[in-house]
């Protein structure tokens, strides 16, 4: 029998400052039959449980050192817009016997690594699914931590983003966020709106269906003003009103989802119509340069026909 | 004598396969069987090229694969099967190929309606989903005939997406939602079609078909919506009705639909403003509202993209992309997909209970 480490009981108290909490090794709690990746058709390595590696933290100095472009990729075939569903923080923490917020903190580090790679390799837009509209159902303790984590991350990283030419945009129904976070988001967007190296779109309190419904409301206003007629409603008009209209490349070319979950979960519903989907079994905190390289290599090998003959 | 022996042997073999399949399905049925499986039938042309077949033969082989897969699904107990037969994007192909696909579609629709077909064997109701106005006249006539002929079937459902893309479906649902709001509650079901023609739509198996009754130039949508909006109010957060409805203040209304909690702003509008389209309004007008959301989406040929198929309906659906080309799809792929669904379903249910 393997050692079964129970997670720290979660009570309705503020979480301690556990960013330095030790990460312990714990075997999977799944039945051995289901531990392995058994859908060979999807790209990505098999899930292997190892002690968490000492991942390099992207700090201020390393922002200035771009990652060299990998020889196995072609610059002309790089996707312009990559979208990521950062799934698996909770499971990552649970496997290590830690509370969920340890996983979210590790997830932030993983995101910073990815942003650095995107800046270095010429990707123009990176959209990340930070917080779904459905996530409001999570326990209040976890929600409070997540919202504070967003504030802390924006606060500590805004200088680096601003100096590295990263433009920040936030999409989603931000009206439910605390006023302080809303203000911080607004300031970050204003501060970085002239940047053009990479546009980082953070989807917070977002759902693809909500995006389409709010686009309909905007179109309703135009119909009321007599600018458009109902007969004029077409795909282009809807695209112009979606929240991703903040970028020149609103539709992702590549969508990556970590943790092995094989679904889209209401993310960028309209925009993902022709995106290449890559499902990686790694949990988000473990998603690094190798996994991203593999996803990009897979993308570059695909034949995108858009319904016509190739 | 040898021919008779060969015939008996193949019958015996067929019987054994069928028995083994029923045993397998019996085991699978111990877990949750999906209600609805959707297929993107990709790879027909590559299959024909691989086998040095004539161009159209790949699609014919694909049709045979479809019949086999339908049989397996219906035997297993899957009630709804949706297939992506022809996308609006496919009209970009060579005209000869498009025409041959239209001809094949018409031929196979008529084959499906024959007495001994799988449709009658399993009591399958046919729905054709898509912008049917884009089809040629003979194909549209065959489609409408097939829907009428199977309207009384209620055991299983087959949804064939032709001249379909999800974005087009969403656009038409939005247009219909507004037209529906504008006319208000009326006894008859008259609506304005997009080109200003008065038409009648039937709700039911032919909901995609429009019978043109009259041509009438009428652009006064806003006046109609004014008349309707004065009768409407917005629900407050507690769910009660507000009959005053003339203040222009925002309220928040929570609507639960298909298990997804959405926040829609219920804006109380002044006379002359348009009513708000909500999630439920749009979903009612979707072509796919005749079936629940798919539990599994299977795309063959190893391509992992949705290609503008069921974007709205597959937000929480399991995606599976075997590398087999569509004519090569077999029972093992279906079994694998269902087992994977059962594994993910139990995890998802556990997550839902935890939240």
């Amino acid at each position: 029998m393997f050692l079964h480490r129970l997670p720290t009981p979660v009570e309705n108290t503020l979480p301690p400052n556990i960013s330095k909490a030790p990460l312990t090794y714990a075997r999977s709690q799944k039945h051995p039959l289901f531990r392995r990746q058994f859908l060979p058709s999807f790209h990505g390595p098999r899930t292997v449980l190892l002690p968490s590696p000492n991942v390099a933290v992207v700090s201020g100095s390393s922002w200035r050192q771009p990652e060299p472009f990998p020889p196995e990729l072609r610059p002309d075939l790089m996707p312009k817009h990559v979208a990521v569903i950062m799934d698996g923080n909770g499971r990552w923490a649970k496997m290590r016997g830690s509370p969920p917020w340890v996983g979210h903190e590790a997830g932030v580090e993983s995101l910073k690594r990815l942003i650095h790679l995107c800046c270095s390799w010429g990707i123009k837009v990176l959209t990340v699914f930070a917080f779904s509209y459905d996530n409001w159902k999570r326990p209040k303790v976890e929600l409070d931590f997540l919202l504070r984590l967003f504030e802390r991350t924006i606060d500590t990283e805004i200088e680096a983003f601003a100096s590295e030419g990263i433009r920040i945009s936030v999409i989603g129904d931000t009206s439910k966020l605390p006023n302080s976070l809303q203000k911080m988001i607004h300031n970050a967007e204003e501060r970085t709106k002239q940047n053009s190296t990479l546009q980082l779109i953070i989807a917070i309190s977002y759902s693809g269906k909500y995006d389409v419904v709010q686009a309909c409301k905007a179109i309703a206003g135009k119909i009321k003003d007599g600018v458009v007629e109902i007969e004029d409603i077409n795909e282009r008009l809807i695209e112009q009103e979606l929240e991703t209209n903040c970028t020149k490349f609103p539709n992702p070319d590549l969508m990556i989802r970590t943790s092995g979950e094989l679904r889209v979960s209401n993310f960028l519903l309209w925009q993902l119509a022709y995106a290449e989907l890559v499902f990686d079994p790694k949990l988000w905190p473990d998603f690094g340069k190798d996994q991203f390289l593999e996803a990009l290599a897979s993308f570059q090998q695909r034949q995108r026909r858009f319904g016509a003959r190739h | 004598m040898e021919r008779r022996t060969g015939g008996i042997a193949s019958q015996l073999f067929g019987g054994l396969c069928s028995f083994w399949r029923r045993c397998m399905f019996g085991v699978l049925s111990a877990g949750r069987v999906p209600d609805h499986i959707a297929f993107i039938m990709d790879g027909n042309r590559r299959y024909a090229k691989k086998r040095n077949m004539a161009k159209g033969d790949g699609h014919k082989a694909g049709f045979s694969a479809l019949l086999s897969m339908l049989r397996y699904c219906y035997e297993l107990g899957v009630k709804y099967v949706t297939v992506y037969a022809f996308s609006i994007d496919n009209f970009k192909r060579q005209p000869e190929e498009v025409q041959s696909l239209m001809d094949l579609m018409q031929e196979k629709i008529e084959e499906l309606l024959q007495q001994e077909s799988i449709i009658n064997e399993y009591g399958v109701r046919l729905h054709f989903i898509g912008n049917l106005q884009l089809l040629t006249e003979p194909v549209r006539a065959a489609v409408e005939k097939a829907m009428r002929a199977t309207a009384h079937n209620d055991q299983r459902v087959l949804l064939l997406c032709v001249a379909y893309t999800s974005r087009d479906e969403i656009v038409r649902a939005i247009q219909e939602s507004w037209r529906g709001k504008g006319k208000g509650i009326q006894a008859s079901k008259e609506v304005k079609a997009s080109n200003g023609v008065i038409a009648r739509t039937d709700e039911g198996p032919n909901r995609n078909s429009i019978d043109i009754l009259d041509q009438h130039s009428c652009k006064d949508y806003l006046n109609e919506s004014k008349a309707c909006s004065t009768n409407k109010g917005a629900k407050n957060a507690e769910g009660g009705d507000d009959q005053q409805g003339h203040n222009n203040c925002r309220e928040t209304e929570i609507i639960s639909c298909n298990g997804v909690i959405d926040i829609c702003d219920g804006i109380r509008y002044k006379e002359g403003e348009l009513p708000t389209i909500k999630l439920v309004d749009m979903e009612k007008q979707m072509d796919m509202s005749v079936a629940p959301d798919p539990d599994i989406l299977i795309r063959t040929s190893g391509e992992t993209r949705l290609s503008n198929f069921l974007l709205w309906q597959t937000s929480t659906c399991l995606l599976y992309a075997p590398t087999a080309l569509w004519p090569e799809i077999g029972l093992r792929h279906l079994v694998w997909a269902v087992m994977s669904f059962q594994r993910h379903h139990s995890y998802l249910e556990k997550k839902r209970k935890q939240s």
Side-chain angles (χ1 to χ4, degrees):
Chain A
M1 287 295 290
F2 48 80
L3 178 67
H4 183 83
R5 169 78 61 117
L6 293 173
T8 309
V10 176
E11 295 176 352
N12 194 13
T13 56
L14 288 174
N17 181 7
I18 32 77
S19 55
K20 300 280 186 274
L23 302 170
T24 55
Y25 175 71
R27 296 287 290 273
S28 170
Q29 297 172 30
K30 292 183 194 173
H31 190 280
L33 184 65
F34 297 109
R35 245 184 252 158
R36 298 185 315 163
Q37 163 69 0
F38 72 114
L39 287 170
S41 54
F42 284 109
H43 304 275
R46 288 169 180 248
T47 300
V48 177
L49 267 185
L50 292 173
S52 182
N54 287 325
V55 292
V57 171
V58 180
S59 60
S61 59
S62 53
W63 280 114
R64 290 191 283 276
Q65 298 161 13
E67 280 286 332
F69 193 84
E72 51 267 67
L73 295 181
R74 284 177 53 176
D76 55 323
L77 294 181
M78 289 295 281
K80 297 246 181 342
H81 182 166
V82 174
V84 181
I85 300 180
M86 305 183 292
D87 196 15
N89 291 344
R91 270 167 283 171
W92 187 90
K94 193 174 175 184
M95 285 196 308
R96 285 152 180 79
S98 300
W101 38 86
V102 173
H104 294 310
E105 295 236 352
V108 168
E109 295 307 314
S110 193
L111 174 59
K112 289 197 289 194
R113 282 197 299 276
L114 182 67
I115 292 170
H116 184 55
L117 291 171
C118 290
C119 285
S120 303
W121 295 350
I123 288 166
K124 302 311 288 178
V125 183
L126 172 67
T127 302
V128 294
F129 204 8
F131 191 80
S132 159
Y133 199 86
D134 294 333
N135 292 153
W136 286 111
K137 293 183 266 187
R138 290 194 178 182
K140 190 175 183 309
V141 172
E142 190 177 349
L143 285 178
D144 288 342
F145 175 81
L146 276 170
L147 296 174
R148 278 203 303 279
L149 182 63
F150 290 148
E151 285 195 31
R152 200 163 69 237
T153 306
I154 293 174
D155 195 36
T156 52
E157 299 303 323
I158 187 64
E159 288 299 329
F161 287 167
S163 64
E164 293 304 311
I166 297 172
R167 179 183 167 189
I168 294 179
S169 303
V170 172
I171 61 174
D173 183 12
T174 51
S175 61
K176 280 190 83 169
L177 300 176
N179 288 335
S180 56
L181 181 54
Q182 289 187 45
K183 195 170 166 193
M184 202 171 259
I185 287 169
H186 176 75
N187 291 342
E189 286 178 326
E190 280 301 307
R191 175 100 188 265
T192 58
K193 68 180 178 191
Q194 300 301 330
N195 290 348
S196 58
T197 301
L198 170 75
Q199 185 167 7
L200 173 64
I201 301 177
I202 308 172
I204 297 181
S205 186
Y206 178 87
S207 104
K209 290 186 181 179
Y210 147 85
D211 201 358
V212 174
V213 171
Q214 69 80 31
C216 291
K217 281 203 310 231
I219 293 171
K222 288 188 173 175
I223 294 176
K224 174 185 160 280
D225 294 339
V227 176
V228 296
E229 304 277 333
I230 288 182
E231 303 78 81
D232 297 332
I233 299 171
N234 56 22
E235 293 181 21
R236 196 180 174 88
L237 190 63
I238 292 175
E239 276 174 18
Q240 284 169 359
E241 300 300 337
L242 292 172
E243 296 216 357
T244 42
N245 61 5
C246 59
T247 173
K248 244 177 29 173
F249 308 105
N251 300 321
D253 301 296
L254 169 65
M255 202 283 292
I256 301 169
R257 181 176 185 146
T258 54
S259 88
E261 295 296 329
L262 306 169
R263 57 184 182 276
V264 173
S265 294
N266 213 350
F267 180 50
L268 294 181
L269 184 152
W270 176 282
Q271 297 86 336
L272 285 178
Y274 298 102
E276 298 292 332
L277 310 176
V278 168
F279 297 94
D280 194 298
K282 285 279 188 191
L283 301 174
W284 175 244
D286 291 329
F287 187 85
K289 181 177 162 188
D290 292 341
Q291 288 73 39
F292 190 42
L293 196 51
E294 196 165 335
L296 289 171
S298 169
F299 170 80
Q300 293 196 345
Q301 283 162 20
R302 298 188 186 188
Q303 294 183 341
R304 306 181 78 192
R305 294 184 295 274
F306 301 96
R309 193 182 192 105
H310 185 68
Chain B
M1 175 73 172
E2 282 173 0
R3 215 178 289 167
R4 206 165 33 169
T5 312
I8 292 170
S10 93
Q11 272 184 0
L12 191 64
F13 182 70
L16 278 171
C17 285
S18 179
F19 173 74
W20 179 85
R21 191 170 66 236
R22 281 199 296 277
C23 289
M24 170 73 71
F25 287 164
V27 169
L28 284 180
S29 301
R32 170 100 157 76
V33 173
D35 289 322
H36 185 173
I37 298 180
F39 294 95
I40 299 179
M41 304 186 292
D42 195 15
N44 290 340
R45 289 177 300 171
R46 274 169 281 172
Y47 178 83
K49 197 170 170 185
K50 191 169 143 184
R51 300 281 173 114
N52 296 318
M53 293 161 80
K55 279 185 186 174
D57 290 351
H59 296 298
K60 289 181 184 160
F63 183 73
S64 303
L66 171 61
L67 292 180
S68 302
M69 204 44 55
L70 284 177
R71 180 173 298 283
Y72 299 151
C73 288
Y74 294 147
E75 268 186 26
L76 175 58
V78 176
K79 182 163 181 190
Y80 298 89
V81 175
T82 300
V83 297
Y84 202 6
F86 192 85
S87 161
I88 293 177
D89 295 326
N90 294 152
F91 281 113
K92 288 186 251 179
R93 294 183 180 181
Q94 296 291 326
E96 307 81 49
E97 187 181 349
V98 172
Q99 186 55 47
S100 76
L101 282 168
M102 290 290 130
D103 293 341
L104 181 70
M105 214 182 304
Q106 193 180 342
E107 179 195 323
K108 295 306 175 190
I109 289 171
E110 286 177 23
E111 209 174 290
L112 281 175
L113 292 178
Q114 283 163 12
Q115 193 57 33
E116 62 278 2
S117 81
I118 192 173
I119 300 300
N120 292 317
E121 186 183 341
Y122 286 97
V124 180
R125 181 172 180 177
L126 289 176
H127 284 286
F128 285 85
I129 306 289
N131 198 337
L132 303 182
Q133 300 304 311
L134 298 177
L135 296 172
T136 55
E137 180 55 43
V139 178
R140 193 162 69 243
V143 154
E144 287 172 6
K145 179 185 165 192
M147 288 200 283
R148 274 195 299 270
T150 59
H152 60 281
N153 291 344
D154 60 0
Q155 300 299 308
R156 302 280 191 268
V157 181
L158 173 60
L159 301 104
L160 293 134
C161 293
V162 293
Y164 175 90
T165 61
S166 192
R167 287 180 177 176
D168 179 73
E169 182 192 12
I170 293 170
V171 167
R172 285 185 291 109
I174 292 169
Q175 288 173 334
E176 286 302 317
S177 300
W178 262 311
R179 291 190 192 112
K181 289 266 182 181
K183 71 181 171 65
I185 300 166
Q186 293 178 9
S188 71
K189 292 193 172 62
E190 287 187 359
V191 299
K192 287 179 196 164
S194 61
N195 57 0
V197 172
I198 298 286
R200 187 187 304 279
T201 58
D202 291 327
E203 289 185 8
N206 293 335
R207 68 186 304 281
N208 288 329
S209 68
I210 296 180
D211 299 325
I212 309 240
L213 297 184
D214 193 16
Q215 292 248 351
H216 181 72
S217 140
C218 42
K219 304 275 185 186
D220 212 5
Y221 177 86
L222 276 180
N223 286 340
E224 267 210 356
S225 69
K226 276 179 205 171
C228 294
S229 70
T230 52
N231 294 328
K232 289 186 179 179
K235 284 190 184 219
N236 58 24
E238 285 78 41
D241 284 337
D242 184 347
Q243 296 300 319
Q244 302 307 316
H246 290 300
N247 297 324
N248 195 20
C249 58
R250 284 177 92 83
E251 285 184 326
T252 301
E253 177 178 12
I254 296 190
I255 292 172
S256 172
C257 187
N258 281 345
V260 174
I261 303 291
D262 265 314
I263 283 189
C264 304
D265 290 330
I267 303 174
R268 283 192 266 180
Y269 43 83
K270 284 182 185 169
E271 189 173 315
E273 287 188 9
L274 284 171
T276 305
I277 297 301
K278 297 178 184 153
L279 193 78
V280 286
D281 300 323
M282 278 174 56
E283 292 194 331
K284 268 189 228 165
Q285 299 297 335
M286 295 271 187
D287 294 345
M288 286 294 297
S289 64
V290 294
D293 289 347
D295 297 301
I296 308 175
L297 170 61
I298 300 176
R299 179 178 184 141
T300 49
S301 83
E303 304 286 358
T304 46
R305 54 179 180 262
L306 296 173
S307 293
N308 216 339
F309 181 56
L310 301 184
L311 301 175
W312 191 271
Q313 294 82 1
T314 55
S315 63
T316 55
C317 160
L318 174 72
L319 307 176
Y320 173 45
T323 51
L325 302 173
W326 174 250
E328 296 167 343
I329 194 171
L331 179 64
R332 66 190 186 285
H333 302 106
L334 180 66
V335 168
W336 196 253
V338 172
M339 282 174 62
S340 181
F341 164 75
Q342 290 177 340
R343 181 173 80 106
H344 282 84
H345 180 74
S346 55
Y347 169 72
L348 279 179
E349 285 294 303
K350 198 171 120 188
K351 271 192 97 171
R352 274 191 212 119
K353 281 179 190 155
Q354 280 172 356
S355 62

